Amino acid sequence: MKPTRRHLIILMAVALIYQNLGNVEGRTHFHKQKKKGSPVEAPSSQEAVSPSPVEAPSFQEAVSPSPVYPPPVPSDPSGPGDNSSSGCVFDVTSYGAVGDGSTDDTPAFRTAWKAACAVESAVLLVPSGYVFTITSTIFSGPCNRGLVFQVDGVLMPPNGPDCWPKTDSNKQWIVFYRLDDMTFTGTGTIEGNGEKWWELPCKPHRGPGGTTLPGPCDSPALIRFFLSTNLVVSGLRIQNSPQFHMKFDGCQGVLIDKLSISSPKLSPNTDGIHIENTKYVGIYNSVIANGDDCISIGTGCSNVEIDSVTCGPSHGISIGSLGVHNSQACVSNITVRNAMIRDSDNGLRIKTWQGGAGSVSGITFDTIEMDNVRNCIIIDQYYCLTKACRNETSAVYLSGVSYNNIKGTYDVRSPPIHFACSDTVPCTNITMSEVELLPFEGELVDDPFCWNSYGTQETLTIPPIDCLQDGEPESMAEISSYGC
């Protein structure tokens, strides 16, 4: 009997319990299986254009209870996968979409979504050879399982803030809301038309003389998944977002594979993939070049595996920022391996605000190549966007951060290793092994910075990092109370 996806999830979850959930060594295929189930009534067109999830019930109110068996971290697909479906195909052109690059095709997409949502293993097809324009839209569920949103053509929003409908949210463009077992894929392009948003005078250094002017500055994130489970995103080219390219909020069980994300180096706040309050995530085989973090991990994230990602130019791979406005932040079991980071302002960064609480633990950076990266390895517990941040006595507690086989070149304008930990809450259990960083140009910078940081050098580090203190601080009993 062919195993169902539910059987596979149960078996994989049991196996992961014995593997400590944090470091997934075994590779299992992650293929979609057809499901049996009764049709679910599709949302009305009124529901589909309801207010943005920003105004929807809060995460605490809306999130569903966790399943009995948590999904595993989706494994890196070792084969071509199976994105085909024998279900019905709902071509948006059959619902009135024109695809000439100027006509508003939003009504056709909403109607096609409503029809596809009600059918098991349906494919909503955005065909090749067309350029479709739609306005800010929420594609909401629940829908029948196995739904595939397949973009083979070009899909884009209106061109800039002047063309954005005044009644639409200017914080997001496409939102997938309350969905389970959905795939977002295709051979096409999501074009964000972000240039006019980047040039707003309120954006960093867009005002006269390199200043930033006051005023409303909301810009839409391109694609957002909200309160959804068992998601697959693969194959697409996503480019030139006005703000974040792709966000996952309150999701569980996410597989991201073979994405191309790109925007200019100086485009502001254009993070490639941002996750928060999201668990069991695998990000694989993707190339990201943009004007901010290529991958950013916010609070509430755990069991995340990032493998075979090329990043840059960008601001690197970041955990944080965490603890803003004295909030609690909890992040655990994050693994980044087999990554290339090039021509970036930062490499591997953990950033927290003073005054926060909670913890970051179980972080592994393994086999990372750096090419002309400034701030290759950085922990910054004094993160601040202005010069007016006050010193605080509390902090997010960092412990169990491992750097192994980190090699390459750095920009000599900054020391390649920088551990700035809280005055009152030291970083502990930092492990350094096979870290070899040399200047891209110029002379070796041999004065890495450490402040209140404790750990172990398992091998000689280049440059030497003698400032890392051995053992543990005397106040460990007090520090343990900071954990999540």
Side-chain angles (χ1 to χ4, degrees), residues 2-5 8 29-35 81-85 121-122 145-149 180-185 229-234 255:
K2 188 174 183 179
T4 67
R5 185 170 180 173
L8 290 174
H29 294 284
F30 190 86
H31 297 322
K32 296 180 70 63
Q33 303 282 348
K34 286 191 66 177
K35 295 289 185 294
D82 181 11
N83 290 322
S84 63
S85 171
S121 298
R145 287 177 173 263
L147 177 60
V148 176
F149 195 119
D180 179 52
D181 189 21
M182 176 197 160
T183 296
F184 187 46
T185 189
T229 56
N230 300 315
L231 303 169
V232 176
V233 182
S234 67
L255 171 62

Side-chain angles (χ1 to χ4, degrees), residues 43-101:
S44 68
S45 58
Q46 289 295 101
E47 292 171 331
V49 294
S50 61
S52 153
V54 170
E55 302 168 11
S58 68
F59 172 76
Q60 288 78 10
E61 295 171 334
V63 69
S64 301
S66 298
V68 175
Y69 296 99
V73 175
S75 62
D76 184 356
S78 58
D82 181 11
N83 290 322
S84 63
S85 171
S86 58
C88 297
V89 175
F90 297 83
D91 187 326
V92 294
T93 61
S94 299
Y95 292 82
V98 178
D100 60 2

Side-chain angles (χ1 to χ4, degrees), residues 281-298:
V281 180
I283 303 174
Y284 306 111
N285 309 309
S286 296
V287 178
I288 303 172
N290 60 318
D292 212 302
D293 298 332
C294 67
I295 298 173
S296 54
I297 298 170

